[in-house]
Amino acid sequence: MYPAYDVIVVGAGHAGCEAANAAARMGSKVLLITMNMNTIAQMSCNPAMGGVAKGQIVREIDALGGMSGIISDKSMIQFRMLNKSKGPAMWSPRTQNDRMRFAEEWRLALEANPNVDFWQEMVTSILTDGNRVTGVTTGMGIEFKAKSVILTSGTFLNGIIHIGEKKFGGGRTGEGASTGITEQLVALGFEAGRMKTGTPPRVDGRSLDYSKMEEQAGDERPEKFSFSAATTPLQKQRSCFITYTNPEVHSTLAKGFDKSPMFNGRIQGIGPRYCPSIEDKINRFAERTRHQIFVEPEGWNTVEIYVNGFSTSLPEDVQYEAIKKISGFENVKMFRPGYAIEYDYFPPTQLNHTLETKLIENLYFAGQINGTTGYEEAACQGLMAGINAHQKNHEDNPFTLSRSEAYIGVLIDDLINKGTDEPYRMFTSRAEHRILLRQDNADLRLTEKGFNLGLATQERQDTMKKRSEAMHKLLNDLDQKKVDPAEVNPTLEELSTAGIQHRTTLAKLIKRPQVHIHDLKRINNDINEYLNKYDESTLEGADIHIKYADYIDKETKLAERISELEGLVIKEAFDFQSVQALSSEAKEKLGKIKPKTIGQASRISGVSPADISVLMVYMGR
C-alpha cells in the first residue's frame, strides 16, 4: 500500500529539515515523518539564527548547499555581525528572525522538492533485519520501509515538561512526547541518558515600556548568511532591547526555590552549562546584583516578545511576580510561562563520523538526540546525516569534514570521540584551526565539496570560483603595486601610524594594525578607482588574508601535519586489549569507540600521547 523510500527522516525540526532536503536534493526518495505538520522547522526557543561560532556553522551549511542560511535570510528582521571589535576568527553573523515566517519558508522549500513526501504521525519503533534498519513503525501500526532511517527526535523522546511542582509529558509546550523508540534502542544495545533544557516566558510587547531599556539596533550595513543570489540584505530592521534584573527580582525568584524542580531533585537531566536558567544564575552568582535581559521581538508584526536571559522552571506565579520587577516590565502581560524540559539522548560515541550508528547499519542520529543544543548544531548534523544516508544507499564514498575544514567537522569529531554528558554547544574556542575556519571564507572552503556531491548548484560553484579568482588577482596586485613616501605618508599620519622612508607595497601597508584596505582609497584617485571595482566581501577577505597571512600559513602547515595521522588507518578488527603497553583507560576507550585512524584515536579523551606512540610503534610506524 505504501511505497518504499530511500531515506526516512523522523522529526521535522532543524536537523530533520536539513536531512530531508539534502538527501532529496541529491536524488533520494525521502519520507519526512513528523508528529505535527504545522510545526515543521519550529523555532522552539529564541527566534534567532547564528551567533558566536553558530554563525560560522550556518554559513558552512549554506556553502555546502543546505538551506538554513537562505531560510534565515528570507525570514530575518535584524542582522548583526558579532565580535567585530575582536579578530576576524571571532566575527560571527547573527539574525533575529520572524518565527512564523522561518517555519513557513522551510515548509515551502520542502514542499517544492518533488522527492520529499510527508506523513503526520508518531514513530514508535524502527524496523530491523538483523543489524540493519529496514524502516519504521508508527503509532497506528503502519510500516514504512526504507534503505536508511535518520532519527532527529529533538526534545521529544520521553519528554517531560516542568513548571514548578507541576510536570507533564511533552516534547515542547502544547505538544505530546514521543514514546517507544528509546526503550527499543536500549533493548538493541544502545546506551541512553537524560538531558535538560529550558525556555523563558513569552510576553506581550504592548505592555512593555521600552523607554526604560537600551535599544539594540541592527548593523548599519547589514549583511546576510547565504553566499547565493537567492536572498538580499535587509533594507529595514526591527530593534531588540536590553534591560537588567535587580536585587528585588532576585529575592522574588529565590522565594520559589523550594518549589524549583532544579533544586529539589525532580529534574535529573543535566542542563546547558552556557545557557543557565535565571534561578541557576542567581544561585551560582549570588554576588552579582543584576543580569542582562535581551528583549527580542518574535517577528515583523506580532506583539509577542521572547525574554532572552530569563529561562526558568519556577512556578508560574513566581515567574510573573519576579518579571514585573524588571525595569520596563512593570505592567507586563505574560502570554505563557517559561519551563524546563527533560528528554532522552544517546551518547554520540555510539556513532561513526558519518553519524551512522555503530550497532545498526543505515540508522543515523542527528541533532539533540546526540546531546547537542542549538538550531545550528542540529541543522549541520541533519545535513551531514542526509548526505551520508544518500551516499551509502548509492554505494558512494562517505562524506566527512576534518577539524581543519569546518566547524561542522569539529562538532562531529568532538561528539563521536569525546562524547558529552551535558548539552554540547559550539564555541570558537573548540576549534584549534579557527583562523582557517572564518565565516567570510566558508564558500571558498566548502562550495566545491557541495557541488561535487550534487548538493550545491552550478550557479553557486561559478559564483565561488569568480570570487576566488577576484581575490587572487586583488592579492597579487596589492603585493605588486608600490607607493612613494610622499603620496602615502599624509594618510599614514591621519591613521596615527609611522610614515615610510622608501617605496613600499600596498600589501605591506595593510599588514599594519592601524591600516585597512579601505584606507588605501585615500592615497590617490587611481587606487580608489581600482579598489572600487571589487565588492565588499572580496575587499574584506583580502584585508584579512594579508593581515593574518603568517598565522594562516602556520595553521595550514599544522593542519597538514595532523592530517598525516588521519592517513594511518587502524584495521576494523584491531584488538586494543592485546597491546600490553597501552594504559588501561586507553584500552577501554579505544575498544569502545573503535577509532578508524590514528588521528581519531589521538583525540579521544583518556588516550595520552604515550598511548599514541605505542600504537604507532605497534603498527610499524
Side-chain angles (χ1 to χ4, degrees):
M1 177 180 175
Y2 299 101
Y5 290 89
D6 295 315
V7 180
I8 290 176
V9 179
V10 180
H14 299 261
C17 287
E18 284 288 3
N21 176 72
R25 283 274 299 279
M26 293 170 72
S28 286
K29 295 294 182 183
V30 177
L31 177 64
L32 180 59
I33 305 181
T34 174
M35 292 166 65
N36 187 346
M37 287 282 289
N38 293 321
T39 56
I40 289 174
Q42 176 88 317
M43 295 181 116
S44 304
C45 204
N46 65 321
M49 288 292 284
V52 178
K54 293 166 174 278
Q56 282 86 330
I57 289 176
V58 177
R59 284 221 159 139
E60 290 176 352
I61 292 170
D62 180 76
L64 286 167
M67 287 297 294
S68 286
I70 289 175
I71 301 297
S72 298
D73 288 349
K74 286 184 174 181
S75 60
M76 67 177 166
I77 62 175
Q78 186 194 86
F79 181 95
R80 293 178 68 222
M81 185 67 75
L82 307 183
N83 286 336
K84 283 290 280 188
S85 62
K86 301 180 181 178
M90 302 290 286
W91 298 355
S92 303
R94 182 187 189 273
T95 58
Q96 196 71 31
N97 293 85
D98 186 309
R99 184 188 300 277
M100 290 182 284
R101 286 185 64 179
F102 184 93
E104 180 187 32
E105 290 290 351
W106 248 124
R107 178 161 175 171
L108 291 174
L110 291 168
E111 288 182 354
N113 192 323
N115 283 335
V116 178
D117 289 348
F118 301 86
W119 186 262
Q120 177 176 290
E121 201 185 344
M122 183 196 299
V123 169
T124 54
S125 64
I126 61 169
L127 297 170
T128 59
D129 181 6
N131 67 339
R132 188 184 184 94
V133 75
T134 59
V136 300
T137 304
T138 70
M140 290 194 295
I142 299 171
E143 292 186 354
F144 290 101
K145 295 299 182 77
K147 298 173 184 175
S148 297
V149 173
I150 304 173
L151 292 183
T152 68
S153 50
T155 59
F156 281 77
L157 290 182
N158 292 322
I160 296 177
I161 292 173
H162 296 267
I163 304 176
E165 295 180 305
K166 302 168 185 173
K167 70 173 186 177
F168 45 91
R172 64 183 157 228
T173 184
E175 296 182 64
S178 174
T179 58
I181 291 178
T182 297
E183 293 73 14
Q184 182 198 15
L185 292 177
V186 169
L188 288 170
F190 285 91
E191 176 190 351
R194 295 284 277 177
M195 280 190 177
K196 167 257 175 188
T197 190
T199 194
R202 309 303 200 270
V203 302
D204 188 336
R206 297 169 298 183
S207 64
L208 303 182
D209 184 352
Y210 294 101
S211 68
K212 295 182 177 181
M213 307 178 197
E214 304 167 23
E215 185 174 7
Q216 187 180 53
D219 289 350
E220 275 189 37
R221 291 190 293 274
E223 300 177 42
K224 61 193 186 83
F225 275 120
S226 183
F227 294 99
S228 76
T231 60
T232 55
L234 287 171
Q235 298 301 308
K236 63 173 184 174
Q237 303 185 67
R238 279 203 69 176
S239 289
C240 298
F241 292 84
I242 298 172
T243 185
Y244 298 87
T245 63
N246 55 59
E248 199 176 1
V249 175
H250 299 180
S251 62
T252 303
L253 289 168
K255 287 192 291 187
F257 279 7
D258 61 325
K259 296 180 180 178
S260 167
M262 281 190 57
F263 298 140
N264 60 24
R266 280 199 301 278
I267 290 181
Q268 301 297 320
I270 299 172
R273 179 194 303 253
Y274 303 102
C275 189
S277 65
I278 187 65
E279 57 263 39
D280 195 24
K281 282 191 279 192
I282 65 173
N283 185 54
R284 286 167 52 193
F285 308 107
E287 74 283 358
R288 295 188 60 176
T289 58
R290 69 176 193 171
H291 294 281
Q292 203 168 44
I293 300 293
F294 294 93
V295 180
E296 300 179 346
E298 298 251 351
W300 282 114
N301 303 310
T302 180
V303 299
E304 189 171 1
I305 295 293
Y306 181 89
V307 190
N308 195 342
F310 205 81
S311 290
T312 179
S313 58
L314 289 169
E316 66 276 10
D317 57 336
V318 176
Q319 294 184 36
Y320 186 51
E321 186 183 351
I323 203 171
K324 290 200 309 183
K325 293 177 167 51
I326 295 175
S327 181
F329 280 69
E330 292 83 358
N331 299 307
V332 68
K333 295 178 181 177
M334 190 185 288
F335 282 172
R336 60 180 171 91
Y339 61 87
I341 181 167
E342 280 189 290
Y343 55 93
D344 293 337
Y345 85 105
F346 292 83
T349 51
Q350 300 171 99
L351 303 174
N352 294 310
H353 256 107
T354 58
L355 298 181
E356 182 183 24
T357 66
K358 295 174 181 175
L359 280 176
I360 303 295
E361 191 176 356
N362 285 16
L363 175 65
Y364 298 79
F365 292 170
Q368 284 176 286
I369 191 173
N370 290 335
T372 60
T373 181
Y375 308 145
E376 304 81 4
E377 289 89 342
C380 73
Q381 292 174 70
L383 177 75
M384 296 299 282
I387 290 171
N388 279 302
H390 173 88
Q391 291 290 95
K392 186 164 186 181
N393 288 345
H394 290 79
E395 298 182 354
D396 287 328
N397 292 329
F399 179 71
T400 60
L401 293 166
S402 71
R403 298 181 71 91
S404 60
E405 288 178 311
Y407 272 90
I408 297 173
V410 174
L411 181 146
I412 293 174
D413 193 68
D414 277 355
L415 291 177
I416 68 166
N417 289 321
K418 300 174 182 176
T420 185
D421 55 7
E422 62 182 59
Y424 177 102
R425 178 180 178 180
M426 179 52 71
F427 290 102
T428 52
S429 58
R430 295 191 189 273
E432 61 272 35
H433 303 294
R434 55 187 171 275
I435 192 66
L436 304 179
L437 309 181
R438 306 184 311 276
Q439 53 80 30
D440 65 281
N441 68 359
D443 59 333
L444 303 179
R445 289 186 277 123
L446 299 174
T447 297
E448 189 159 5
K449 293 178 184 291
F451 176 72
N452 291 337
L453 287 167
L455 193 54
T457 62
Q458 181 71 54
E459 180 188 4
R460 282 176 175 260
Q461 174 77 342
D462 292 344
T463 300
M464 182 276 293
K465 283 190 171 181
K466 185 177 178 181
R467 189 164 98 91
S468 178
E469 289 165 2
M471 181 86 73
H472 281 99
K473 183 179 187 310
L474 176 57
L475 288 170
N476 184 67
D477 289 349
L478 292 170
D479 202 42
Q480 299 295 320
K481 171 70 174 171
K482 291 186 176 182
V483 287
D484 293 319
E487 61 181 333
V488 73
N489 281 346
T491 300
L492 296 179
E493 186 178 346
E494 289 176 20
L495 297 170
S496 301
T497 183
I500 59 173
Q501 303 299 317
H502 308 284
R503 280 171 61 82
T504 192
T505 65
L506 295 177
K508 285 185 178 177
L509 292 176
I510 293 173
K511 276 186 174 290
R512 299 185 177 201
Q514 303 90 341
V515 182
H516 292 276
I517 197 164
H518 284 292
D519 297 322
L520 302 182
K521 295 177 180 180
R522 305 188 202 179
I523 298 172
N524 60 48
N525 283 334
D526 288 344
I527 295 174
N528 181 47
E529 289 177 10
Y530 173 73
L531 292 178
N532 283 337
K533 294 177 182 177
Y534 293 93
D535 61 31
E536 182 62 29
S537 66
T538 304
L539 292 172
E540 185 178 85
D543 191 80
I544 292 169
H545 186 87
I546 291 170
K547 282 192 186 307
Y548 295 89
D550 293 340
Y551 297 100
I552 291 169
D553 185 54
K554 181 181 176 182
E555 282 299 318
T556 301
K557 289 176 180 176
L558 178 61
E560 287 170 355
R561 288 201 298 271
I562 291 173
S563 71
E564 292 174 7
L565 295 179
E566 301 299 336
L568 303 181
V569 178
I570 301 173
K571 292 181 180 179
E572 195 168 340
F574 190 90
D575 182 10
F576 295 102
Q577 291 294 329
S578 67
V579 184
Q580 297 300 317
L582 287 175
S583 67
S584 297
E585 185 178 7
K587 289 179 184 178
E588 179 189 343
K589 294 287 181 67
L590 292 166
K592 179 180 180 181
I593 295 173
K594 295 182 173 59
K596 300 289 178 66
T597 67
I598 290 290
Q600 184 186 351
S602 70
R603 296 188 297 275
I604 296 172
S605 298
V607 178
S608 70
D611 293 319
I612 296 301
S613 296
V614 168
L615 275 180
M616 291 180 73
V617 169
Y618 198 86
M619 293 172 63
R621 298 284 180 174

